Amino acid sequence: MHRLRSLIPSANYLFCFEAAARRRSFTAAAQELNVSQPAVSKTIRLLEEATGLKLFRREHTRLELTAEGQRLYKETQEAFDHLHMVISSLQKKHSNDVVRVSFSASFVQLWLLPRLKDFKAKHPDVSLRIEESSRDDQDLVEEDIDLSARLGNGKWPGIHSWRFVTEEVLPVCSPDYLRDHGPIHEPADLLQHTLLNFEERHRTRLGWREWLERHAVPVARLKQDFVFTDALGSIEAAVLGQGIALGWKHLVHDHIRAGRLVLPLQESYRSGHAIHIIMPAQRPPKRGTELFRDWLIEQDADAGVLQPTGNADTG
Amino acid sequence: MHRLRSLIPSANYLFCFEAAARRRSFTAAAQELNVSQPAVSKTIRLLEEATGLKLFRREHTRLELTAEGQRLYKETQEAFDHLHMVISSLQKKHSNDVVRVSFSASFVQLWLLPRLKDFKAKHPDVSLRIEESSRDDQDLVEEDIDLSARLGNGKWPGIHSWRFVTEEVLPVCSPDYLRDHGPIHEPADLLQHTLLNFEERHRTRLGWREWLERHAVPVARLKQDFVFTDALGSIEAAVLGQGIALGWKHLVHDHIRAGRLVLPLQESYRSGHAIHIIMPAQRPPKRGTELFRDWLIEQDADAGVLQPTGNADTG
DNA sequence: GAGGGGCATAACCTCAGATTATGCACAGAC
DNA sequence: GTCTGTGCATAATCTGAGGTTATGCCCCTC
């Protein structure tokens, strides 16, 4: 044990002693420490017995520190002041090192979490506070967010942005679904299938209607058998073989690589926009935020060619 | 409360943290602190939660301090080292300030204790450890005694001495005893009274036989109705009216002044010796010892004239 | 002389800090 | 590849240090 512990059985005694010494009153110290006056009296007696030092002179209603008590009080207060300063500065630094990021649930679950281990390995001292947000129009400053992602042209006032990944949307379903309900030759065939939709209240994303119209398939009325609250839900339903979902290429990349999802068609839609990494421009970013941004860019989310499978000609 | 306490609910957490950080092992820290390993694990978790700081990186069987943990460990250890040094030096100084004195029980009870308040008031930071000794030939060095008293000519090898009080021995009894059994005109009359004796195994003091012989009263055989183990006992018996005791003038001074004892005769015996304050010569005395010696000398134990009372002619 | 305030102690209570039981993860040995 | 050992983590439970209440003592003020 640290040798100090052989001198005082409980470091908490010093909290008590410091308060009593500063207030020159066991009663006032007790109030401050939220304990009863006899608790302070007893604790000081135990400290005096343990150390063999007379720390206070009790003079009826006046409490005086002995010379030894004065000395110990001064040093204890300095030690406590110093430790407080150390912990506070560590806390402040920690707060600066905690990068507050906010993404859609689908991005977090489908893309970020599987890769986070690599970030942690490369930057063990950077902490991320990951919030799942359901809005496009989040005020980064207001909500004290260090970094987020946003779909668009990358030009927003008060925002720094870095292009992250192309928006490319394509239908996905499970291999089982395709085997059981396929083949699907052209986009119009999709109308005969269970299309998995999602609607996010505060985020505008391309839906089935838009996708089909972009592929010259007029849609008078779209069946709405399944509507999820976000893209993540519809992707998970697709993985379970419950229909065909629209998948953003970078989000379904892992599922496809793993064979859990396949491309029933080779058609996809590129909006011409991209998802950008964004930060508020008003304050210099934390070191950890820069590290995280650089790491995100390194991931090269556009990389990797996905081949349609399932209904490709096979022997 | 000290603001540190708002950051860490228990200062004892720091004991635990310091040990774990130094040993780089919760298990080893637990052994050192005499607690179980889960206790250390839990305490560190609570400290991390309270401060919001990640202090350790757990890597299977290897424990590493984070950068924050390193910083806190370094500062905690310095603070603890410093406090330990302060308390230790206070303890050493206290040991130096504790004056170990040794006197006969009769001196302590009859003379010293009634006056000690004055010493305390003048020297509040000097602590006395007062032992009651039953020997004249006490080895001061062997028994780590700083100051004592001894009867004699004041010349002892290896001893510093200061004359304290003349040895003057005189009969004393209570007023009631004198009223009931008096008057007593001359020393020979004492033989008709209850003489209170004492014998100390390891201290030679004048007894009734010697006193009477010094006053030309041959004593063939002395009644030994009461024999106490020290002078204190016989004085207390005299106060209770149980007989006539021999009292050393300085020891009975207070009782006489208070009227609890009277002098039945005006005869007293002066041995030509004195009681001396003594200290071992081999080491420089502690400051407190010097202060106490000076204070004893200031008391002027020889001062004050005692008048025989009781059978003096009165109108 | 009575009342108030603050420290001290005894007797008793209780929950923070400890335990035991057990699980998990990983490295090393075979 | 499997098994064993080691160390950290957590849940459930236990218990005694640190708290409480009750009360006494001492001294000052009115």
Side-chain angles (χ1 to χ4, degrees):
Chain A
M1 72 184 88
H2 194 281
R3 49 192 179 165
L4 177 62
R5 192 162 179 269
S6 66
L7 297 184
I8 50 175
S10 172
N12 290 328
Y13 290 3
L14 293 177
F15 273 148
C16 190
F17 166 70
E18 187 277 337
R22 173 165 36 82
R23 302 296 293 266
R24 299 303 201 268
S25 160
F26 289 177
T27 305
Q31 282 165 350
E32 184 177 306
L33 296 166
N34 284 323
V35 298
S36 62
Q37 173 267 320
V40 173
S41 178
K42 186 179 172 185
T43 299
I44 298 300
R45 172 166 62 82
L46 291 172
L47 179 61
E48 287 179 325
E49 282 173 8
T51 57
L53 303 169
K54 190 70 168 173
L55 302 171
F56 291 97
R57 257 195 319 282
R58 283 79 151 171
E59 290 170 14
H60 183 44
T61 53
R62 272 197 325 120
L63 207 61
E64 291 296 327
L65 280 163
T66 61
E68 291 162 335
Q70 284 278 12
R71 174 84 193 287
L72 183 58
Y73 169 53
K74 174 174 172 292
E75 305 286 354
T76 298
Q77 195 164 52
E78 281 184 23
F80 282 2
D81 284 346
H82 191 63
L83 285 175
H84 178 274
M85 184 274 293
V86 165
I87 295 178
S88 293
S89 75
L90 288 174
Q91 283 177 325
K92 186 168 183 296
K93 182 176 180 295
H94 174 74
S95 173
N96 281 349
D97 283 348
V98 173
V99 181
R100 297 168 61 96
V101 304
S102 175
F103 301 110
S104 68
S106 54
F107 180 79
V108 170
Q109 302 296 330
L110 294 171
W111 193 91
L112 182 57
L113 286 185
R115 290 162 178 73
L116 211 46
K117 194 169 219 167
D118 180 64
F119 177 76
K120 275 300 192 185
K122 286 170 173 168
H123 304 292
D125 285 339
V126 176
S127 299
L128 296 177
R129 178 184 172 90
I130 303 168
E131 292 173 20
E132 293 183 347
S133 166
S134 55
R135 334 177 50 97
D136 269 340
D137 56 354
Q138 193 173 27
D139 189 325
L140 302 186
V141 175
E142 173 76 11
E143 293 185 35
D144 197 21
I145 298 296
D146 296 309
L147 183 149
S148 187
R150 192 176 284 177
L151 174 68
N153 63 7
K155 296 189 175 79
W156 296 283
I159 296 285
H160 283 315
S161 69
W162 296 263
R163 194 175 182 287
F164 175 61
V165 71
T166 303
E167 187 188 30
E168 182 174 352
V169 191
L170 29 71
V172 292
C173 65
S174 69
D176 286 349
Y177 182 90
L178 190 56
R179 187 191 64 232
D180 294 345
H181 298 91
I184 299 170
H185 300 294
E186 58 183 10
D189 292 338
L190 291 166
L191 291 171
Q192 312 308 321
H193 288 273
T194 306
L195 300 180
L196 303 168
N197 301 271
F198 68 93
E199 283 182 8
E200 298 191 42
R201 184 182 298 275
H202 298 295
R203 174 173 285 133
T204 304
R205 283 297 180 274
L206 190 108
W208 270 115
R209 178 184 293 279
E210 291 81 14
W211 193 89
L212 290 164
E213 288 178 349
R214 295 291 193 284
H215 286 84
V217 178
V219 184
R221 195 175 71 87
L222 201 62
K223 269 170 72 181
Q224 294 270 27
D225 288 337
F226 296 92
V227 183
F228 297 88
T229 55
D230 58 26
L232 177 62
S234 64
I235 295 297
E236 289 176 343
V239 168
L240 294 173
Q242 294 181 2
I244 305 173
L246 282 175
W248 274 252
K249 187 180 168 188
H250 63 293
L251 297 185
V252 294
H253 175 275
D254 294 351
H255 278 318
I256 292 171
R257 278 300 193 87
R260 292 186 291 268
L261 287 178
V262 297
L263 305 181
L265 287 170
Q266 68 182 25
E267 280 86 347
S268 68
Y269 167 70
R270 287 195 179 130
S271 67
H273 283 43
I275 293 178
H276 294 79
I277 296 161
I278 59 170
M279 294 185 195
Q282 74 170 169
R283 65 172 186 262
K286 298 167 183 172
R287 179 61 187 147
T289 311
E290 295 180 319
L291 294 170
F292 186 59
R293 176 205 60 206
D294 294 347
W295 176 82
L296 283 171
I297 294 172
E298 281 168 22
Q299 298 314 294
D300 198 5
D302 269 320
V305 170
L306 298 179
Q307 293 288 1
T309 58
N311 70 330
D313 288 333
T314 61
Chain B
M1 75 183 86
H2 195 282
R3 53 193 174 162
L4 177 61
R5 191 163 179 270
S6 68
L7 296 184
I8 49 175
S10 171
N12 290 328
Y13 289 4
L14 293 177
F15 272 147
C16 190
F17 166 69
E18 187 275 336
R22 173 165 36 85
R23 301 293 295 266
R24 299 302 202 270
S25 161
F26 289 177
T27 305
Q31 283 167 350
E32 185 177 303
L33 296 166
N34 285 322
V35 298
S36 62
Q37 171 268 320
V40 173
S41 179
K42 185 179 174 185
T43 300
I44 298 301
R45 174 166 62 82
L46 291 172
L47 178 61
E48 286 178 326
E49 282 172 9
T51 58
L53 303 170
K54 190 71 172 173
L55 302 171
F56 291 97
R57 253 192 322 280
R58 284 79 153 168
E59 291 168 14
H60 181 42
T61 52
R62 272 195 327 117
L63 208 59
E64 292 295 326
L65 280 163
T66 62
E68 291 162 336
Q70 285 277 12
R71 174 87 193 286
L72 182 59
Y73 169 54
K74 174 175 172 292
E75 305 286 353
T76 299
Q77 195 164 50
E78 282 185 21
F80 282 2
D81 284 347
H82 192 64
L83 284 175
H84 177 273
M85 185 273 294
V86 166
I87 296 179
S88 292
S89 74
L90 287 173
Q91 282 177 325
K92 186 170 186 296
K93 182 176 181 299
H94 175 73
S95 173
N96 282 348
D97 283 348
V98 173
V99 181
R100 297 168 62 96
V101 303
S102 174
F103 301 110
S104 67
S106 52
F107 179 78
V108 169
Q109 301 296 330
L110 294 172
W111 193 92
L112 183 57
L113 286 185
R115 289 161 177 77
L116 212 46
K117 194 171 217 166
D118 180 65
F119 177 76
K120 275 300 187 186
K122 285 170 173 168
H123 304 290
D125 286 336
V126 175
S127 298
L128 297 177
R129 178 186 172 89
I130 303 168
E131 291 173 22
E132 293 182 346
S133 167
S134 55
R135 330 176 55 96
D136 269 338
D137 59 352
Q138 194 173 28
D139 189 325
L140 302 185
V141 175
E142 172 77 11
E143 295 187 33
D144 197 21
I145 297 297
D146 296 312
L147 183 149
S148 186
R150 192 178 284 176
L151 174 67
N153 62 7
K155 296 192 177 77
W156 295 282
I159 296 287
H160 284 318
S161 69
W162 296 262
R163 193 174 184 288
F164 175 60
V165 69
T166 303
E167 183 186 33
E168 181 173 355
V169 192
L170 29 70
V172 291
C173 65
S174 69
D176 288 348
Y177 181 93
L178 188 58
R179 187 189 64 232
D180 295 342
H181 299 87
I184 299 172
H185 299 292
E186 58 185 7
D189 293 338
L190 290 166
L191 292 172
Q192 313 307 320
H193 288 273
T194 306
L195 300 180
L196 304 168
N197 301 268
F198 68 94
E199 282 180 11
E200 297 190 43
R201 184 181 300 274
H202 300 294
R203 173 174 286 131
T204 303
R205 285 296 180 271
L206 191 109
W208 272 115
R209 176 184 295 277
E210 290 82 12
W211 193 87
L212 290 165
E213 287 176 350
R214 295 290 192 284
H215 288 84
V217 178
V219 184
R221 198 175 71 85
L222 200 63
K223 267 169 74 182
Q224 295 270 26
D225 288 337
F226 296 90
V227 181
F228 297 87
T229 55
D230 58 25
L232 179 62
S234 64
I235 297 297
E236 288 175 344
V239 167
L240 293 173
Q242 294 180 359
I244 304 172
L246 281 176
W248 274 251
K249 187 179 168 188
H250 63 293
L251 298 184
V252 294
H253 175 275
D254 294 351
H255 278 319
I256 292 171
R257 279 302 194 87
R260 292 187 291 268
L261 289 178
V262 296
L263 305 180
L265 288 170
Q266 67 183 21
E267 280 85 348
S268 70
Y269 167 72
R270 287 194 180 128
S271 67
H273 282 43
I275 293 178
H276 294 78
I277 297 161
I278 58 172
M279 292 184 196
Q282 74 167 175
R283 65 171 185 263
K286 298 168 183 172
R287 179 63 186 147
T289 312
E290 295 179 318
L291 293 171
F292 186 58
R293 177 205 59 207
D294 294 346
W295 176 81
L296 283 171
I297 294 173
E298 280 167 24
Q299 298 315 294
D300 199 6
D302 270 320
V305 171
L306 300 179
Q307 294 288 2
T309 58
N311 69 328
D313 288 335
T314 59

